[in-house]
Amino acid sequence: MTDALHRVSVSTLRAGLTAGDFSPAELTAHFLDRIERFDSGLNTLVTRCDEGARRQADAVASQKAEALSGIPLIQKDIFCTEGVRTTCGSRMLDQFIPPYQATSAARLAEAGSVLLGKANMDEFAMGSSNETSYYGPVRNPWDTDRVPGGSSGGSAAAVAAGLAPLATGTDTGGSIRQPAALCGITGLKPTYGRVSRYGMIAFASSLDQAGCFARRAEDCAHMLGRMAGFDPRDSTSVDAPVPDYHGGLPADPGMLKGLKVGLPKEYFADGLVPGTRGCVQAAIDELAGQGAEIVEVTLPNTGLAVPTYYVLAPAEASSNLARFDGVRYGHRCEQPRDLEDLYLRSRAEGFGREVQRRIMIGAYVLSAGYYDAYYLKAQKTRRLIADDFARVFEQVNIIASPTTQSTAFRLGEKLDDPVTMYLNDIYTIPANLAGLPGISVPAGFDQGLPVGLQLLAPWFAEQQLLNVAHAYQLLTDWHLQWPEAYA
Amino acid sequence: MSTAWETVIGLEVHIQLNTQSKIFSGSSTAYGAAANSQASAVDLGMPGVLPVINAEVIRKAALFGLAIDAAVAPQSIFARKHYFYPDLPKGYQISQYELPIVSGGHLDVETAALGKRRIGITRAHLEEDAGKSLHEDYAGQTGIDLNRAGTPLIECVSEPEIASAAEAAAYARKLHALVCYLGICDGNMQEGSFRVDANVSVRRRGETTFGTRTETKNLNSFRFLEKAIEYEIERQIDVIEGGGQIVQETRLYDPDTGETRAMRSKEEAHDYRYFPDPDLLPVVIEPAFLDELKSGLPELPDARRARFEQTLALDADSAALLTSTRATADYFEAVLASAGGATPERARLAANWINGELAAALNRDDLAIQASRVAPAQLAGLLLRIEDNTVSGNAAKSVFEGLWQGEADAADAIIEARGLKQITDSSAIEQFVDEVIESNPEQVEQYRSGKTKVLGFLVGQVMKASKGKAKPQDVSRLMQEKLDT
């Protein structure tokens, strides 16, 4: 049994621990072995925590057993972990060891989970292919010549290859859902404010949201239950009760009967690759077959989403990244001649090209004379986009769409064409602008590469999102497919 | 100053709020701690950490708004103001820009030259202070102390309506007194709790457009403020009269030379790229909260001064002096309470002692009235002995000095120990008078021959003989009776 520990659900692992079939140390060792075997080919981790993981696993034995105690996981390297290097995928923070813990990471640690390592990611979460990382690209386990998606590419690829049962991610414009889709796993982005942002290195503060990856929606339910909740250290976290997401999951797909599922026509328009469209259509047919009512809806301002996002996100990023100045921590250039030289060279050396590009765009749109035309206008279109969703959710319970227009692309294919790269997130960005929760679940394969079905729910309706995803996963086994080399 | 010229002054005052913790973190705001010992991850601008507004800061800012009769915004917004400087940890300062918490108030100020005038206050917004760059003691390098980073400030901006250096100083003093009355600022100017930037321009009388202004920064005393503005006015007039033009620039005042000098010009000014801080929610102030604050407002300086004049019959100057700081007015009222209540006579006596003897002693020892070596109850004890004629005015001064030096806890004990009680027994005084008449025949003769001015000398001799314990009025009356018979 123990050689298949990476293939089973968190509940099954927990039951095995409780029954004494294997110990937390053995469970952790299983995943550490897999990391040792496979990660050199995938590059999912920036920092391994083998020793700390073993120590944590040993300490778990005496702990009160709860859903995540003794369960190994990987943290995206954007979450500050006390005493463990946190790079954010950047040379700027290559040596940075935070003296504090991100709230969501602290909550997962308190739940008894075991930290295996810190996942590779696009630098400062800016990217959709995990190619902007200072630590090199992550490879997609389904085809190592292809990208895993981004920015949480390391997290998604690690779970897809069975290097950890769970991983955290962050989603600013699709950075959880898109890599989940491209790697054939489940990725949940909660409502903005559901999970504390404290200690999560900021990219675009009004869009960033922490979430999770697992093979199964039910495992995401376990994880979200621990990560979510109000944090007095984050003013934008919402003080709303956290339901028992796992306990609330349906036992059978019967809940799909009568469910109103909206298909936004703008998400099925030109650009959607036929193979992806076919998988998503089949998934929708599956839901319909269970009695779900499929309704075509319209989100007329969808076309504004990508331009809106690429004004607001860089604007906030240019501000959030101003603190990396080489003065107090992070990369500092050698022998600065004067203060200006210290700033210029520390930042030029510490930040990669994509980060620099976005800082420049952001500084531009916020500058005197351009603010109204860009930033303020984008805030208005953001409102229009959110209003579209509010209107549609008066008609339907949930929105279904493809997560991406196509399957994973080849490494290097879009790296020199930022606009094409940006358009990759066309179906995921609107939910960030509106603050909505979304999930991507595996929905088939196009020429051997995974396709994701995106589900979006009203604000704070994570339970509904997880329930529909879980019901779908009771009916299908796309999420249980394995890339052959890592089975 | 030439009367052909008119001065236009606007003041920006940074008022440090005296909260226990910082505006966006739990770090202490106490002054003078070891460098960087009061800087948390939030104050250091570490990656991923977030600001959380200190509710006490909002309360104090709203209180200030009410006290200057301004509008307190039901919703105000924090914005990020960007610039790079080593003592600004995040690369931006959290401030307020488009929607400040307070807008549209005023202060009434009075000067000898211009009389009583109302000065408008455009706005007052909240912001965090930066840290300090220390350029000395680091062998050519710069040290950064972030203890001050995140200290809550109100920046209060006046309308450009102040017309002279004296009026600017009066405005600043008034504002200083007000924030101390409200208990929202410790008022310590040496420690930077109250810093003034002066925007100054001049124009020929009758002109309607403003002249080019300069901004003289970080004036931390009322005297420097007045001197800096006086210098700046003269300088600007000289430049213009000499055919030159004023450059819009930031200037610094040098207290050693009494001059201002250019620091940086407008061309080097930053584009601050303000935008609403996405880490902080709008500050919402409910009407009920404002009502509660209003009912809890302390008596403000103008009202207190009026009460002192009206119900205690104090003259305007005394009342103004007593209410110039809240601590002085509190001291005054504590003295009256300790003495068993206020009568106009007692109020006048107390006012004279506080504005006179006590003020001189405080000034001599460089102490604030809160740190006075003579407590209100001690002064009250002394005043009672003056009222009931136990001690003479001169003796009272020496009793006060005894109290100040900690000779005893109460005036009575010092009077007793030093034997300063006035002699009210007339037979005892008569004895001294007889002795003086006996031993000064020459002066007695002069008096009797009409040179009555010599009476003062004779009375003085009696006072000397009685070691000051006789009451001069009694001595004088007895002496005259004896000499005239």
Side-chain angles (χ1 to χ4, degrees), chain B residues 98-116:
Chain B
E98 282 185 335
L99 285 175
I101 189 162
V102 168
S103 53
H106 56 81
L107 277 187
D108 292 331
V109 303
E110 195 171 352
T111 55
L114 300 170
K116 198 174 242 184

Side-chain angles (χ1 to χ4, degrees), chain A residues 230-299:
Chain A
F230 175 66
D231 177 6
R233 288 188 294 184
D234 175 4
S235 311
T236 62
S237 75
V238 175
D239 197 357
V242 179
D244 175 1
Y245 295 114
H246 192 268
L249 293 173
D252 60 62
M255 60 88 58
L256 295 175
K257 194 170 165 50
L259 185 80
K260 284 192 178 169
V261 179
L263 305 185
K265 64 176 186 192
E266 294 81 3
Y267 287 51
F268 292 86
D270 292 349
L272 179 59
V273 167
T276 298
R277 180 194 297 270
C279 291
V280 171
Q281 190 54 55
I284 290 159
D285 292 346
E286 187 77 44
L287 299 178
Q290 295 296 314
E293 193 187 322
I294 311 298
V295 190
E296 191 189 80
V297 296
T298 175
L299 295 164

Side-chain angles (χ1 to χ4, degrees), chain B residues 260-307:
Chain B
T260 67
R261 60 186 155 79
M263 199 164 91
R264 61 165 182 262
S265 75
K266 184 78 174 10
E267 286 77 73
E268 297 163 52
H270 298 97
D271 176 356
Y272 290 120
R273 306 195 310 279
Y274 281 101
F275 81 107
D277 192 327
D279 287 335
L280 290 160
L281 303 177
V283 177
V284 175
I285 295 182
E286 305 285 352
F289 175 72
L290 273 189
D291 290 343
E292 198 187 310
L293 281 185
K294 250 179 229 165
S295 63
L297 266 183
E299 188 184 25
L300 297 177
D302 286 348
R304 206 168 192 183
R305 176 175 165 177
R307 177 165 63 83

Side-chain angles (χ1 to χ4, degrees), chain B residues 417-431:
Chain B
R418 295 207 197 159
L420 293 173
K421 208 166 173 173
Q422 291 193 115
I423 299 163
T424 47
D425 177 356
S426 55
S427 63
I429 297 172
E430 204 173 341
Q431 201 183 318

Side-chain angles (χ1 to χ4, degrees), chain A residues 28 35 85 102 170 209 220 232 264 289 292 339 356 386 403 413 456 464 482:
Chain A
T28 291
I35 288 169
R85 183 172 78 135
T170 59
Q209 180 57 209
C220 287
L339 185 59
Q356 291 183 22
T403 308
E413 191 180 322
L456 303 175
Q464 171 147 307
W482 282 79

Side-chain angles (χ1 to χ4, degrees), chain B residues 92-409:
Chain B
Y92 58 83
Q93 176 192 33
I94 304 177
S95 181
Q96 295 190 307
Y97 186 53
E98 282 185 335
L99 285 175
I101 189 162
V102 168
S103 53
H106 56 81
L107 277 187
D108 292 331
V109 303
E110 195 171 352
T111 55
L114 300 170
K116 198 174 242 184
R117 299 204 324 134
R118 175 161 286 190
I119 307 298
I121 290 173
T122 318
R123 59 183 274 157
H125 67 251
L126 283 168
E127 61 184 30
E128 57 178 345
D129 210 343
K132 281 180 187 165
S133 293
L134 309 167
H135 298 293
E136 288 144 29
D137 307 333
Y138 293 94
Q141 296 194 295
T142 298
I144 307 293
D145 179 5
L146 295 175
N147 282 352
R148 198 181 65 181
T151 299
L153 299 177
I154 288 178
E155 182 177 329
C156 176
V157 182
S158 84
E159 290 288 322
E161 294 177 348
I162 299 168
S164 72
E167 191 168 65
Y171 169 91
R173 281 202 171 88
K174 189 80 183 263
L175 190 61
H176 183 263
L178 181 69
V179 296
C180 295
Y181 263 81
L182 291 170
I184 62 173
C185 174
D186 69 16
N188 191 323
M189 296 179 79
Q190 283 77 42
E191 292 174 5
S193 300
F194 191 92
R195 315 192 286 266
V196 185
D197 301 341
N199 287 289
V200 178
S201 67
V202 298
R203 60 182 171 192
R204 288 182 202 278
R205 201 164 289 282
E207 271 178 27
T208 51
T209 55
F210 291 135
T212 304
R213 68 187 158 84
T214 63
E215 182 179 20
T216 304
K217 278 206 170 291
N218 274 329
L219 297 157
N220 66 352
S221 94
F222 301 122
R223 204 162 51 85
F224 292 166
L225 170 67
E226 197 165 345
K227 296 225 178 243
I229 294 175
E230 276 167 4
Y231 177 85
E232 198 46 31
I233 292 168
E234 299 231 345
R235 187 188 70 85
Q236 291 188 11
I237 292 172
D238 284 351
V239 168
I240 298 170
E241 286 184 340
Q245 278 191 324
I246 300 303
V247 180
Q248 185 172 343
E249 63 191 358
T250 303
R251 299 181 70 85
L252 271 184
Y253 176 70
D254 182 345
D256 295 330
T257 61
E259 296 175 356
T260 67
R261 60 186 155 79
M263 199 164 91
R264 61 165 182 262
S265 75
K266 184 78 174 10
E267 286 77 73
E268 297 163 52
H270 298 97
D271 176 356
Y272 290 120
R273 306 195 310 279
Y274 281 101
F275 81 107
D277 192 327
D279 287 335
L280 290 160
L281 303 177
V283 177
V284 175
I285 295 182
E286 305 285 352
F289 175 72
L290 273 189
D291 290 343
E292 198 187 310
L293 281 185
K294 250 179 229 165
S295 63
L297 266 183
E299 188 184 25
L300 297 177
D302 286 348
R304 206 168 192 183
R305 176 175 165 177
R307 177 165 63 83
F308 286 179
E309 287 183 40
Q310 282 150 25
T311 67
L312 300 176
L314 288 181
D315 63 275
D317 285 349
S318 297
L321 270 175
L322 286 175
T323 52
S324 64
T325 73
R326 182 181 181 172
T328 308
D330 286 347
Y331 188 100
F332 170 68
E333 299 214 79
V335 169
L336 294 183
S338 275
T343 60
E345 294 73 28
R346 183 176 287 160
R348 203 175 319 120
L349 185 65
N352 290 342
W353 273 82
I354 291 167
N355 293 333
E357 214 64 19
L358 179 67
L362 292 170
N363 194 35
R364 184 186 65 211
D365 289 7
D366 197 19
L367 290 175
I369 196 162
Q370 297 94 313
S372 169
R373 297 212 177 114
V374 174
Q378 292 178 301
L379 183 58
L382 176 57
L383 299 186
L384 287 175
R385 295 292 83 85
I386 299 171
E387 279 183 21
D388 66 13
N389 287 323
T390 304
V391 289
S392 68
N394 269 336
K397 283 181 187 172
S398 92
V399 174
F400 179 85
E401 197 51 36
L403 288 170
W404 188 264
Q405 300 303 340
E407 221 168 84
D409 280 345

